[in-house]
């Protein structure tokens, strides 16, 4: 059987990348909903609709578990999908808990899409954990489009980050949480712009550890040849050039894995 992993676009490849490192003998179906990217500026109802469609696709493609490799889709639709479908659904949410635990009294910044920031799910998470009010939530609406257009470490991206954070004194922060999977592609730029003591964290490893625990507990782990099939909004990617672009994204993610 397969493991389904999906996102609105290329952000989810960062989760797939981690999954392939941790569970290399599994077969993966990766689905990027490129017809509808970005999700983060759309309504919750629209996203629930898109995700429902993708879940049906994953079931048709013989998936034993599905990872929602998108903070926005998790916030909007994970609970609804868990009530509707009876296979394990693993979501991703911003790594607020480890960030607050490790911040040693310094401030914590969580960046995400506008929808993730607006949703009650993140507010509840922060309320539960942040009793000393150290956490700031900051939307970054444009980064997803930059990533989708292959614009990563450019002056334009740097200027956008600097401008968005102009009201924040980064020396007061200990932890910087990437609350959107697309933001992984900008780790090198964030690292370059922030003081050394600001730690950059994402939820990728935690999400895949959770996938592993769930598969283990249900005896669903397999030893296959380890393959990936890529789909964009239901269409299989077979074109050599497109597959090369995906391979280049894996290389970029691999090169930035040690950045914290
Ligand atoms: N990658 C998705 C996330 O983690 C969102 C991207 C989008 O806005 O489409 O939130």
């Amino acid at each position: 059987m397969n493991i389904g992993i999906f996102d609105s676009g290329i952000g989810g490849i960062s989760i797939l990348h981690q999954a392939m490192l941790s569970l290399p003998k599994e077969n993966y179906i990766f689905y990027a909903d490129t017809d509808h990217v970005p999700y983060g500026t759309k309504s919750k109802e629209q996203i629930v609709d898109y995700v429902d469609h993708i879940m049906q696709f994953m079931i048709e493609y013989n998936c034993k578990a599905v990872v929602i490799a998108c903070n926005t889709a998790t916030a909007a639709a994970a609970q609804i999908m868990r009530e509707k479908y009876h296979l394990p659904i693993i979501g991703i949410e911003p790594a607020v808990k480890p960030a607050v635990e490790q911040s040693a009294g310094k401030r914590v910044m969580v960046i995400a899409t506008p929808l993730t920031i607006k949703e009650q799910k993140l507010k509840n998470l922060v309320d539960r954990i942040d009793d000393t009010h150290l956490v700031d939530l900051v939307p970054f609406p444009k980064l997803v489009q930059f990533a989708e257009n292959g614009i990563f470490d450019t002056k334009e991206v740097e200027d956008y980050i600097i401008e968005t954070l102009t009201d924040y004194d980064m020396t007061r922060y200990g932890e910087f949480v990437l609350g959107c999977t697309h933001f992984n592609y900008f780790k090198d730029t964030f690292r370059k712009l922030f003081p050394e003591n600001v730690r950059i964290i994402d939820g990728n490893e935690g999400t895949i550890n959770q996938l592993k625990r769930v598969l283990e507990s249900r005896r669903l782990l397999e030893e296959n040849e380890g393959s990936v099939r890529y789909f964009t909004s239901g269409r299989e990617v077979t074109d050599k050039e497109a597959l090369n672009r995906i391979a280049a994204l894996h290389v970029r993610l691999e090169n930035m894995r040690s950045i914290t």
Side-chain angles (χ1 to χ4, degrees):
M1 292 184 89
N2 297 309
I3 296 173
I5 300 185
F6 77 87
D7 182 25
S8 58
I10 63 169
I13 293 176
S14 65
I15 301 280
L16 170 68
H17 192 83
Q18 182 65 43
M20 289 162 76
L21 290 171
S22 304
L23 298 168
K25 300 246 169 90
E26 296 287 343
N27 292 339
Y28 298 95
I29 299 284
F30 181 78
Y31 187 120
D33 195 7
T34 44
D35 287 358
H36 302 121
V37 68
Y39 279 2
T41 49
K42 299 210 168 70
S43 72
K44 177 175 169 149
E45 292 68 30
Q46 254 174 327
I47 295 166
V48 169
D49 245 28
Y50 299 149
V51 171
D52 194 19
H53 185 82
I54 298 169
M55 285 302 301
Q56 288 173 29
F57 177 94
M58 294 301 192
I59 289 164
E60 247 171 66
Y61 275 78
N62 203 23
C63 289
K64 58 186 171 184
V66 173
V67 180
I68 307 181
C70 175
N71 294 262
T72 310
T74 301
Q79 202 41 44
I80 298 170
M81 294 306 132
R82 286 191 187 113
E83 282 159 23
K84 183 162 176 186
Y85 299 101
H86 298 292
L87 74 173
I89 298 174
I90 289 91
I92 180 166
E93 58 183 9
V96 180
K97 192 161 184 266
V100 169
E101 282 167 5
Q102 289 161 38
S103 73
K106 290 204 116 190
R107 298 201 68 76
V108 172
M109 183 177 289
V110 180
I111 66 163
T113 65
L115 189 129
T116 304
I117 301 277
K118 233 176 27 213
E119 269 304 303
Q120 200 53 41
K121 195 169 191 293
L122 180 57
K123 294 204 174 83
N124 292 345
L125 177 70
V126 171
D127 284 349
R128 266 203 317 277
I129 293 162
D130 182 27
D131 40 17
T132 44
H133 305 290
L134 290 173
V135 178
D136 293 314
L137 305 178
V138 183
F140 263 83
K142 281 199 200 162
L143 281 185
V144 171
Q145 278 308 0
F146 278 133
E148 288 297 321
N149 294 329
I151 302 170
F152 300 124
D153 46 356
T154 65
K155 171 90 172 47
E156 195 184 359
V157 168
E158 270 187 49
D159 288 347
Y160 173 62
I161 294 170
I162 292 167
E163 187 192 304
T164 309
L165 297 179
T166 183
D167 293 336
Y168 298 90
D169 172 5
M170 291 311 289
T171 62
R172 299 176 63 212
Y173 288 82
E175 309 287 316
F176 186 75
V177 181
L178 304 179
C180 168
T181 51
H182 279 76
F183 298 175
N184 285 286
Y185 293 102
F186 305 101
K187 266 188 179 173
D188 50 354
T189 306
F190 289 128
R191 185 67 285 155
K192 190 171 122 188
L193 294 175
F194 296 161
E196 231 172 80
N197 56 298
V198 179
R199 229 172 59 98
I200 300 168
I201 67 171
D202 64 61
N204 293 5
E205 215 176 315
T207 303
I208 296 307
N209 286 343
Q210 174 64 6
L211 168 69
K212 208 168 167 178
R213 274 195 295 274
V214 169
L215 292 178
E216 240 158 27
S217 72
R218 299 187 184 213
R219 301 189 186 283
L220 286 172
L221 285 171
E222 287 174 66
E223 300 258 321
N224 296 313
E225 79 273 25
S227 66
V228 191
R229 290 173 71 187
Y230 294 92
F231 293 84
T232 50
S233 300
R235 303 173 293 272
E236 184 150 17
V237 181
T238 50
D239 171 63
K240 193 113 192 62
E241 240 175 72
L243 289 169
N244 284 344
R245 276 199 298 277
I246 292 171
L249 294 174
H250 280 285
V251 170
R252 177 161 182 80
L253 292 164
E254 184 58 30
N255 289 341
M256 292 193 301
R257 220 150 59 78
S258 59
I259 298 179
T260 53

